[in-house]
Amino acid sequence: MANPFDTLRKILNNEAARGYDNKGIIGGLDKYVPLLQQQAQAAGAEPAVVAEVVDRLQRYPGLPGSDRAAAIAELMTRLPASMPAAPRSPVTPPTVTPSPEPVARPPQRPAPTPRPSGRAAEAESPRPAPASPRPTPPKAQPPQRPPEPSRPSPSESHPPKRQEQPYRSAPPRRAVVSQARRLPLPPAPAGIGPDAPLTVLHGVGPKQAENLQRLGLNSMRDALTFFPRRYVDYSHLKPINRLEYGEEVTIIATVWETVVRRIRSGQAQIVQSILSDGTGNIEVSWFGQPWVAERLTAGKQVQVAGKVDEYLGRITLRNPEWEDLDAESLKTGRIVPVYPLTEGVSADRLRRWMYEAVGYTAPHMPDALPQPLRERAELLPFGEALLQIHFPDTQESLAAARKRLAFDELLLLQLGLRRQRAEWQSVAGQALAVSEEALATALSGLPYALTEAQTRALADIRADLARPAPMNRLLQGDVGSGKTVVAALAMLAAAEGGAQSALMAPTTILAEQHYRNVTGLLKRGDVALLLGSTPDAEKATIYAGLRDGSLKMVIGTQAIIQDRVEFANLGLVVVDEQHRFGVAQRARLRGKGANPHVLVMTATPIPRTLALTLYGDLDLSILNEMPPGRRPIDTRVLYVNERERAYAFLRRQIQQGRQAFVICPLVEESDKIEAKAAVDEHARLQKQVFPDLRLGLLHGRMKADEKEEVMRAFRDGETHILVSTSVVEVGVDVPNASTMLVEGANRFGLAQLHQFRGRVGRGTHLSYCLLASDLGPGLKADENERLKAMEQTQDGFVLAEKDLELRGPGQFLGTQQAGFGALRMAKLTRLAVPLIDLARREAETVFAADPQLQAPEHGLLAGNLAAFWNAVEGAGDVS
């Protein structure tokens, strides 16, 4: 058995280190006597030795300071080095009852031979008998304050975490259904059901119903999908002597003392309680809650949950949740859901109402997924998933609930995409074929031969255009892979087939670049550029040419989808950087023709599996090769102490006749994000670093004509350095620009950094990309790992896989991508990729067997599908 005098030795050593001020523990050494007696007697210590040690401890506070050192030294010699092998029968314990929960046993503890009885047996039992009444301290004398034992070092008494015995055993990993004790529900109100108003709940009257309406809660059904925004895991029960800083725990302990103190010149109050569970004690405090002191009386046994903090070297709990030990609690000893709140609704009250609403309703909700599908995908039943997502029994059951509810959303998304694809392919379109002679003439005029990837993509597009059904294809290509050439040849095929084509780009800069490239490649005079800034007279001419068919191609921004734009025969729609447009904008452009072919392009490399999932309604062509002659870009990561080197390098490049970009994360300084802002950085660089050079400034808040003038000056070489925000991510083609400096590079995803890097290296000169991190080389290894990946490869698809691994699929999506705004439980993170793929495969199985979802087992699924896609902006068009 553990030697209780070992703890006393540490206390005495602490007392000596403090200069013998009788503060080796809270309240003085004599306050350790009750707990020492209890532990020593349970351990079988000699009664005479215990009596002598107790006598010396009780007399210690009255000794003069000059005598205390000798007293401590003498007492240390009296402490026994070990305990008898078998414990003696215990004597009457002190008045304060130890915690009813067990004390975690160290692994090295030998099994006792005779079973101890009485209080010693209670201390060693793995779980006390539920029927045993809890003795309380005598009312006439409050319990003494417990000692503050020194925290043992890990090497002395804390076993390694992997060996630590759990304070409460967890259910088996696969037992994800309810295993924990369910709190009882009040009798179900009459008329309860999914559509019943929340006023049927206990305590919800008209006033509280109004408050709940502000949270979007009107009915029991609303409550089912009012998911917690986060969880606090208080399910880990631990003895006090095993608590570690920073962990979230529940402890079960006895109140020894509670006091109220005034702080801040008496303007505020703090309640401080000393709690003990027989293994140690801890001070717990509540700020501004004086009523707590009235309930936390000495001798009360409570369950307390919170995050372990530290104050003056001692562990503590600040403002924890607490309940009487006998209380049925929703906020201690479990994984506690945290819901959004509104004025007039407290967290405790809302949690109780949610528990009732979910408990009454969830078990009776029908399941839209057929049982065979659930079994294949290893999913919880729907009702159980709703119970566990709100009030999970274990982390495993919470994960299983998230999986089920996220799968439902992803399945509806995938089914909708497949329905869109089928509907798109079922309508009639016009076949557009280009002659081999016309295509050969166009190819011979190109400055270089097509890559194999371009050739494959062009063949896919020509085959789609030749069919009497509309094409719906995604052309995905890395920066500089030649998407514009493929799009231009597709537009040529449409023109040769007697139809018109329109290319819509997200920015004026990019639209102008496409116009120059297309006209330069095709050398045709029937191509127009339509921008919002186009003069009215020129716009009228373009409108007329599109209306009578004399203009075969138009390239522009959203000006193309204005009401005044009419086409004689729009046969092909090309959307560049398609994720930057909303669904309604793309649908409006497509609506300018009669079921035109659609080609959407993105320069953001996306892993193929993810692309097939996110764009399930599209055929996919990938450009994964670079045109010949494209030189690799030398990429270097710089840290906070290397800015001057970067500036000196930029100056040398400019002296050699080159130009440079400097990218900043924000337009203006933010108090929340310590990132350099383009406006302030431009002023600083111009005044302090490059006063003899000409610097331009470009950001998204500038007017269109201002942006155009800045870019024109940079393209024409009138400015040496362009300071910009991420507006240059796409659409800037300046062959003379050889250096890209990205400030705060750690704040961007790899896909975006790769886009920035693609703005240089477009000429014949060796080019460089300098990634300036806000972090030091030894900080945040994952961030530095991301940036180092930029140094190691030029392949955007490799970087996309890395981004997927480190930051998740959200890096590849625009905020307006259809369907994804309706996802509430399905979070597009790296860990969700297998679930996304599972939903895609199951959607294919369901759709192949029952595309209209007319089978009886798919009735509920069909209704959920309609509701899901009705909630999506522009339902009926995804790409």
Side-chain angles (χ1 to χ4, degrees):
M1 176 167 291
N3 187 350
F5 295 100
D6 289 343
T7 300
L8 179 56
R9 286 188 180 90
K10 296 173 185 177
I11 295 174
L12 297 180
N13 287 330
N14 187 41
E15 175 68 5
R18 296 181 58 88
Y20 308 99
D21 60 357
N22 196 29
K23 293 183 179 178
I25 64 170
I26 298 175
L29 297 191
D30 57 325
K31 298 301 187 289
Y32 186 59
V33 167
L35 188 59
L36 176 65
Q37 287 178 315
Q38 173 189 345
Q39 294 178 342
Q41 292 164 353
E46 292 291 340
V49 174
V50 175
E52 181 182 5
V53 172
V54 167
D55 179 67
R56 290 175 180 271
L57 288 175
Q58 290 175 334
R59 287 190 289 110
Y60 180 80
L63 295 176
S66 58
D67 296 339
R68 288 181 176 180
I72 292 294
E74 177 66 15
L75 179 55
M76 291 284 275
T77 65
R78 303 288 184 175
L79 302 182
S82 61
M83 291 290 99
R88 301 175 186 270
S89 298
V91 298
T92 304
T95 55
V96 178
T97 305
S99 167
E101 289 292 320
V103 177
R105 304 178 186 176
Q108 69 272 16
R109 180 179 180 176
T113 44
R115 187 71 176 173
S117 59
R119 190 62 56 90
E122 183 178 332
E124 289 191 13
S125 172
R127 192 170 295 276
S132 300
R134 293 189 182 92
T136 57
K139 297 183 179 180
Q141 181 180 359
Q144 294 175 294
R145 176 191 290 251
E148 174 71 18
S150 300
R151 295 191 66 190
S153 66
S155 62
E156 292 175 325
S157 62
H158 282 213
K161 286 189 176 180
R162 61 184 176 85
Q163 297 178 353
E164 182 173 317
Q165 299 297 316
Y167 200 52
R168 171 177 287 177
S169 60
R173 183 173 182 81
R174 294 190 60 83
V176 294
V177 296
S178 176
Q179 298 293 326
R181 179 181 53 136
R182 289 282 186 189
L183 271 62
L185 286 167
I192 198 74
D195 298 316
L198 293 178
T199 50
V200 302
L201 297 176
H202 300 81
V204 179
K207 179 60 178 177
Q208 289 294 1
E210 292 180 8
N211 293 335
L212 293 174
Q213 285 177 357
R214 294 198 297 270
L215 295 171
L217 296 173
N218 296 287
S219 67
M220 304 289 276
R221 191 185 304 275
D222 295 334
L224 292 177
T225 56
F226 186 69
F227 301 125
R229 57 187 177 90
R230 63 184 179 91
Y231 302 85
V232 182
D233 191 351
Y234 293 146
S235 63
H236 303 295
L237 284 171
K238 295 189 72 174
I240 292 175
N241 71 338
R242 298 281 181 179
L243 298 183
E244 296 181 9
Y245 173 75
E247 61 184 354
E248 292 175 336
V249 297
T250 292
I251 62 174
I252 295 178
T254 300
V255 179
W256 285 70
E257 178 182 78
T258 300
V259 297
V260 180
R261 305 184 190 280
R262 291 194 174 273
I263 57 176
R264 300 173 186 169
S265 302
Q267 296 180 357
Q269 292 178 308
I270 177 174
V271 176
Q272 294 176 314
S273 285
I274 303 297
L275 307 181
S276 177
D277 66 352
T279 73
N281 57 280
I282 186 172
E283 183 177 86
V284 184
S285 56
W286 289 266
F287 295 91
Q289 303 178 49
W291 59 88
V292 173
E294 300 176 3
R295 297 182 58 189
L296 287 180
T297 55
K300 180 184 287 291
Q301 291 180 313
V302 294
Q303 46 189 337
V304 181
K307 187 173 183 178
V308 180
D309 205 344
E310 194 168 4
Y311 179 70
L312 298 179
R314 297 170 178 164
I315 58 171
T316 184
L317 295 173
R318 301 176 186 272
N319 293 317
E321 302 285 355
W322 74 277
E323 292 277 10
D324 291 347
L325 186 57
D326 295 329
E328 302 288 357
S329 178
L330 288 173
K331 61 182 181 180
T332 61
R334 64 182 306 123
I335 301 173
V336 179
V338 179
Y339 294 97
L341 297 176
T342 188
E343 185 178 356
V345 179
S346 68
D348 288 348
R349 186 174 292 181
L350 179 59
R351 194 177 293 119
R352 173 60 65 175
W353 289 334
M354 289 298 299
Y355 188 82
E356 292 183 14
V358 174
Y360 290 139
T361 312
H364 309 292
M365 294 299 292
D367 200 322
L369 299 186
Q371 184 173 349
L373 190 158
R374 292 203 311 269
E375 292 177 351
R376 284 196 309 270
E378 297 182 349
L379 300 172
L380 285 182
F382 183 59
E384 180 65 19
L386 289 174
L387 287 170
Q388 294 296 329
I389 202 65
H390 285 281
F391 296 93
D393 296 329
T394 64
Q395 288 291 350
E396 290 80 5
S397 62
L398 175 58
R402 281 175 168 156
K403 176 184 176 181
R404 166 60 204 265
L405 298 178
F407 177 89
D408 283 11
E409 294 178 345
L410 292 169
L411 181 70
L412 296 176
L413 176 63
Q414 292 300 312
L415 286 173
L417 291 174
R418 272 146 189 77
R419 183 183 63 184
Q420 298 295 347
R421 182 186 180 90
E423 291 177 355
W424 180 262
Q425 294 176 339
S426 67
V427 299
Q430 55 179 319
L432 303 174
V434 60
S435 66
E436 295 295 336
E437 180 181 356
L439 182 60
T441 300
L443 292 175
S444 64
L446 297 179
Y448 49 79
L450 296 182
T451 65
E452 291 186 8
Q454 287 174 311
T455 302
R456 289 194 301 269
L458 181 60
D460 291 340
I461 293 170
R462 288 183 62 195
D464 288 347
L465 293 176
R467 285 194 288 265
M471 173 178 68
N472 205 23
R473 182 168 292 275
L474 170 65
L475 180 61
Q476 179 188 350
D478 205 345
V479 177
S481 59
K483 295 184 300 299
T484 303
V485 175
V486 175
L489 294 172
M491 296 172 76
L492 172 64
E496 290 293 321
Q500 296 168 296
S501 57
L503 190 160
M504 185 168 68
T507 66
T508 297
I509 295 172
L510 186 55
E512 290 176 336
Q513 178 179 308
H514 281 314
Y515 176 74
R516 290 194 303 271
N517 290 336
V518 170
T519 54
L521 291 170
L522 301 183
K523 297 179 174 58
R524 297 176 63 103
D526 53 359
V527 184
L529 175 65
L530 182 58
L531 308 171
S533 59
T534 301
D536 290 343
E538 188 176 342
K539 282 182 180 178
T541 302
I542 295 173
Y543 294 157
L546 294 175
R547 194 163 42 245
D548 63 23
S550 58
L551 282 177
K552 294 298 184 183
M553 307 176 192
V554 62
I555 300 169
T557 57
Q558 295 181 40
I560 295 177
I561 61 176
Q562 300 307 308
D563 292 337
R564 294 185 61 187
V565 178
E566 299 176 8
F567 291 86
N569 179 21
L570 180 61
L572 172 64
V573 166
V574 181
V575 181
D576 193 19
E577 293 300 322
Q578 64 90 28
H579 62 279
R580 291 174 174 253
F581 292 103
V583 175
Q585 294 167 314
R586 297 193 296 265
R588 192 170 182 182
L589 176 58
R590 199 186 71 192
K592 296 288 184 179
N595 301 322
H597 299 279
V598 175
L599 176 67
V600 297
M601 303 191 298
T602 179
T604 302
I606 303 174
R608 183 177 181 85
T609 300
L610 187 59
L612 290 172
T613 299
L614 302 182
Y615 304 108
D617 61 325
L618 301 172
D619 294 309
L620 181 63
S621 294
I622 298 178
L623 302 183
N624 54 5
E625 298 176 63
M626 287 295 169
R630 189 75 188 261
R631 303 176 68 177
I633 300 167
D634 191 352
T635 304
R636 304 290 177 87
V637 177
L638 305 176
Y639 299 103
V640 289
N641 58 344
E642 298 178 299
R643 288 296 193 282
E644 294 304 321
R645 291 178 54 198
Y647 296 151
F649 184 81
L650 259 65
R651 181 176 291 278
R652 289 195 299 271
Q653 287 290 301
I654 292 168
Q655 289 171 347
Q656 296 173 16
R658 308 283 82 77
Q659 293 168 274
F661 294 96
V662 175
I663 306 298
C664 298
L666 298 176
V667 175
E668 295 175 352
E669 288 290 356
S670 168
D671 294 333
K672 296 182 178 179
I673 304 176
E674 295 178 358
K676 293 184 181 297
V679 174
D680 293 339
E681 184 69 353
H682 172 266
R684 187 186 72 84
L685 291 175
Q686 182 69 83
K687 183 178 180 180
Q688 301 177 16
V689 183
F690 303 112
D692 55 326
L693 302 179
R694 295 185 298 276
L695 274 64
L697 174 63
L698 182 69
H699 59 74
R701 296 182 183 177
M702 299 171 64
K703 296 180 180 178
D705 55 348
E706 294 174 334
K707 293 180 186 177
E708 293 171 16
E709 177 57 28
V710 170
M711 282 310 306
R712 185 203 59 77
F714 191 59
R715 275 198 304 263
D716 295 346
E718 296 177 8
T719 52
H720 301 108
I721 299 175
L722 179 62
V723 180
S724 174
T725 58
S726 58
V727 70
V728 300
E729 181 183 344
V730 294
V732 178
D733 188 3
V734 183
N736 193 46
S738 64
T739 306
M740 167 72 66
L741 171 61
V742 183
E743 294 282 5
N746 53 289
R747 302 179 185 275
F748 297 102
L750 290 179
Q752 200 171 17
L753 291 175
H754 188 58
Q755 295 289 319
F756 293 148
R757 180 166 61 182
R759 296 309 104 204
V760 296
R762 307 176 83 85
T764 59
H765 314 289
L766 182 61
S767 295
Y768 307 87
C769 181
L770 307 178
L771 305 176
S773 172
D774 292 342
L775 309 172
L779 300 178
K780 293 190 177 180
D782 57 336
E783 293 290 351
N784 287 330
E785 180 185 354
R786 287 196 315 109
L787 297 184
K788 287 295 183 182
M790 290 288 295
E791 289 184 334
Q792 296 163 1
T793 182
Q794 305 279 319
D795 190 327
F797 288 92
V798 173
L799 293 173
E801 292 286 355
K802 192 70 174 180
D803 233 3
L804 179 63
E805 175 187 346
L806 295 175
R807 287 164 68 98
Q811 296 300 308
F812 310 113
L813 301 177
T815 57
Q816 294 178 304
Q817 180 66 29
F820 296 99
L823 300 180
R824 300 183 59 194
M825 292 302 301
K827 306 299 181 184
L828 297 182
T829 64
R830 174 178 60 86
L831 298 178
V833 171
L835 185 62
I836 295 173
D837 191 52
L838 174 64
R840 178 177 61 84
R841 288 185 277 109
E842 289 296 339
E844 290 173 349
T845 301
V846 171
F847 197 82
D850 185 16
Q852 301 301 321
L853 300 181
Q854 294 176 336
E857 65 269 21
H858 293 150
L860 285 174
L861 187 60
N864 290 351
L865 180 65
F868 178 87
W869 281 94
N870 284 338
V872 177
E873 175 195 8
D877 183 272
V878 174
S879 59

